């Protein structure tokens, strides 16, 4: 999976962030998060032979082969990206559309 799709899947399905929180965190639209989740789940089901939709999604994920496990440095990558956003917000070089309130609104609630 591409990094962004992995981030979205882990944050939403495993860490239980809402689509809106993931969208704020990654500076994307909630609709884009929803679409990426649907496409990523379909890809994982096809790649891992998990077409049995009668099982809950978490159970189907557990059936995936070990070799597609995310890299061990995934959380490091996530926090590096967060720090990068924070730095760019602080020095005013953030991409258009990113503001401190939306980028970190989820963080205050989870402290």
């Amino acid at each position: 999976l591409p990094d962004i799709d992995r981030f979205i899947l882990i944050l939403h399905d495993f860490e239980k962030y809402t689509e809106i929180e993931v969208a704020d965190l990654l500076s994307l639209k909630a609709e884009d998060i929803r679409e990426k989740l649907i496409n990523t789940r379909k890809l994982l089901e096809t790649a891992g032979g998990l077409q049995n939709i009668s099982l809950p999604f978490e159970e189907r994920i557990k059936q995936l082969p070990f070799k597609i496990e995310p890299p061990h440095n995934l959380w490091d990558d996530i926090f590096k990206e967060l720090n990068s956003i924070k730095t760019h917000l602080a020095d005013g070089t953030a991409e258009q559309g990113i503001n401190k309130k939306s980028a970190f609104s989820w963080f205050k609630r989870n402290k």
Side-chain angles (χ1 to χ4, degrees):
L1 292 175
D3 288 342
I4 191 73
D5 294 344
R6 262 196 343 258
F7 291 157
I8 291 169
L9 184 73
I10 290 170
L11 290 170
H12 184 271
D13 288 355
F14 295 96
E15 297 297 326
K16 305 299 182 194
Y17 287 100
T18 67
E19 291 172 0
I20 294 170
E21 290 170 329
V22 175
D24 283 347
L25 176 64
L26 299 175
S27 300
L28 296 171
K29 295 178 183 175
E31 298 83 30
D32 294 339
I33 299 298
R34 195 171 303 116
E35 183 179 325
K36 284 187 174 290
L37 284 168
I38 291 167
N39 293 336
T40 300
R41 289 174 183 149
K42 285 180 184 176
L43 178 66
L44 287 174
E45 287 175 359
T46 303
L50 299 176
Q51 289 81 13
N52 184 356
I53 60 171
S54 63
L55 292 175
F57 182 72
E58 289 82 7
E59 291 300 318
R60 289 182 279 156
I61 289 295
K62 289 178 185 175
Q63 294 178 0
L64 289 171
F66 181 74
K67 67 182 178 182
I68 65 167
E69 188 173 306
H72 296 290
N73 63 346
L74 180 62
W75 284 111
D76 291 338
D77 292 344
I78 290 171
F79 286 109
K80 283 178 188 174
E81 183 64 24
L82 287 174
N83 283 329
S84 172
I85 291 170
K86 185 177 179 181
T87 300
H88 291 300
L89 288 170
D91 67 14
T93 61
E95 292 180 26
Q96 210 171 26
I98 297 177
N99 62 55
K100 191 171 187 176
K101 184 177 179 186
S102 68
F104 293 97
S105 62
W106 61 273
F107 184 72
K108 291 180 181 176
R109 290 182 292 200
N110 294 318
K111 266 187 155 181

